[in-house]
Amino acid sequence: MKKIMVTGALGQIGSELIVKLRNEYGTDNVLATDIREPQTEMDGPFAILDVTDGDKMTALAKEFGADTLMHMAALLSARAEENPMLAWNLNMGGLVNALETARALNLQFFTPSSIGSFGPSTPKDHTPQDTFQRPTTMYGINKVSGELLCDYYYHKFGVDTRGVRFPGLISYVAQPGGGTTDYAVDIFYKAVEDGNYTSFIAEGTYMDMMYMPDALQAIVDLMETDADNLIHRNAFNVTAMSFDPAELAAAIRKHIPSFEIAYDVDPVRQSIADSWPNSLDCSAAEAEWGFQATYDMDAMVTDMLEKIREKVNA
Ligand code: SER
């Protein structure tokens, strides 16, 4: 990776990925693209790109001299359920355009899949790397199709496609928006601002989660791994922790003893969560490219509360 173009650069992952990549590979070697203008001035190259415009995507990557494409633009699970055709067009159309760009320009390629690629028939605990994937959501269908497409572009065209299945990602920088795991971010803002939170996900619903610094490091580590190490290429299970809303609330209470959680369950997001695993088995990622998360729940909660307090007070 020397010249990296990123789509969805203002999104939940993209906005922090850009900063990490620019620190590690040089500000001018990372082209950020998004469908909207940045709200604050960005340090480094930026271009407007609607990922459904494949010609423009290829032209931008060519002009920039990219050797790597990281395709992050996508609709998350709950928004995809609200508008399935928009999700299909954006998530699948954008991915095909990105893969075609990578094929045309011989780029190394990364795109994230998700715990959403699993469904009700998937084993829920220690979900294996290779298992049943019959998701019941549009987002999940997009993610499984994407995993298969990435494998196809590698086998058929030799494109160096790589990817992980991210769990819910927790960060104090950009708010996710439209995801099922978003409660695990919202809760911190409410804890700091109001001292209580009403969760749209029910007590007892376990989902995998990861703190953003570990997610970003996983992307870089997978991309930098020698291809000879990889048996799988795409869709590696990765996770750092699994908890339900009550356990997260208890961890927050260690810092804010009066914090209270209540529940007002959203049936749409609850049914999405119920169809996803409780906890993933990451042994393939550990064995093939040394994946290891550094933040557990307590370390994540401590850092999140500190950073969100700073943000809210600023
Ligand atoms: N965080 C995502 C969502 O909730 C899962 O990939 O949609």
Side-chain angles (χ1 to χ4, degrees):
M1 290 200 289
K2 292 198 171 66
K3 296 273 274 183
I4 308 161
M5 173 165 146
V6 180
T7 71
L10 302 181
Q12 187 202 5
I13 305 175
S15 47
E16 286 179 72
L17 180 61
I18 288 294
V19 175
K20 182 173 178 76
L21 293 174
R22 286 184 168 158
N23 285 338
E24 294 194 13
Y25 298 90
T27 303
D28 293 336
N29 293 326
V30 180
L31 172 62
T33 72
D34 203 283
I35 195 165
R36 58 196 163 95
E37 294 278 357
Q39 280 178 332
T40 51
E41 206 181 320
M42 189 180 269
D43 189 19
F46 176 86
I48 290 286
L49 173 65
D50 172 350
V51 293
T52 61
D53 183 348
D55 290 340
K56 183 164 180 193
M57 193 189 294
T58 307
L60 279 174
K62 192 170 179 181
E63 191 188 328
F64 182 62
D67 67 3
T68 303
L69 178 57
M70 295 192 174
H71 177 57
M72 315 305 290
L75 280 196
L76 289 178
S77 57
R79 278 207 62 205
E81 255 358 78
E82 277 164 20
N83 198 337
M85 278 325 293
L86 175 66
W88 181 266
N89 291 334
L90 179 69
N91 292 355
M92 298 317 301
L95 178 60
V96 164
N97 288 338
L99 285 165
E100 276 297 297
T101 297
R103 181 171 75 91
L105 303 177
N106 194 24
L107 311 181
Q108 199 191 9
F109 186 81
F110 176 89
T111 201
S113 183
S114 158
I115 51 171
S117 69
F118 298 115
S121 56
T122 305
K124 282 211 174 294
D125 297 304
H126 309 294
T127 304
Q129 175 67 36
D130 301 305
T131 184
F132 297 117
Q133 289 184 277
R134 307 292 291 175
T136 48
T137 63
M138 178 50 88
Y139 179 72
I141 292 164
N142 296 163
K143 288 300 183 188
V144 178
S145 311
E147 292 181 7
L148 294 172
L149 265 179
C150 289
D151 284 346
Y152 180 79
Y153 269 73
Y154 169 64
H155 289 295
K156 177 93 176 172
F157 304 119
V159 178
D160 184 2
T161 57
R162 303 185 186 197
V164 297
R165 293 184 185 124
F166 275 135
L169 297 181
I170 298 171
S171 152
Y172 57 89
V173 178
Q175 301 252 32
T180 302
T181 56
D182 296 12
Y183 91 86
V185 177
D186 300 343
I187 194 171
F188 288 99
Y189 287 91
K190 293 286 182 201
V192 168
E193 286 170 347
D194 305 337
N196 61 70
Y197 177 64
T198 302
S199 173
F200 59 78
I201 294 293
E203 184 171 359
T205 309
Y206 283 78
M207 285 186 277
D208 285 288
M209 303 278 174
M210 188 187 281
Y211 201 33
M212 191 62 86
D214 283 330
L216 302 179
Q217 193 59 48
I219 296 174
V220 170
D221 288 347
L222 173 58
M223 293 300 275
E224 290 290 3
T225 286
D226 191 314
D228 293 344
N229 297 338
L230 300 177
I231 301 163
H232 300 84
R233 298 198 129 254
N234 294 295
F236 281 96
N237 284 359
V238 290
T239 188
M241 57 194 96
S242 169
F243 52 71
D244 82 325
E247 283 181 13
L248 181 56
I252 291 173
R253 223 171 274 127
K254 289 182 193 167
H255 302 263
I256 307 174
S258 60
F259 176 68
E260 281 179 24
I261 187 164
Y263 298 90
D264 180 13
V265 172
D266 168 20
V268 174
R269 284 178 285 187
Q270 184 63 39
S271 79
I272 296 174
D274 287 338
S275 76
W276 289 356
N278 299 335
S279 64
L280 302 183
D281 171 2
C282 307
S283 51
E286 288 159 6
E288 293 176 40
W289 48 278
F291 166 71
Q292 209 185 354
T294 56
Y295 284 87
D296 62 10
M297 181 169 68
D298 284 332
M300 175 275 288
V301 168
T302 303
D303 202 53
M304 276 294 279
L305 286 173
E306 189 186 310
K307 296 294 180 5
I308 288 182
R309 274 193 189 116
E310 280 167 18
K311 207 170 157 179
V312 167
N313 291 336

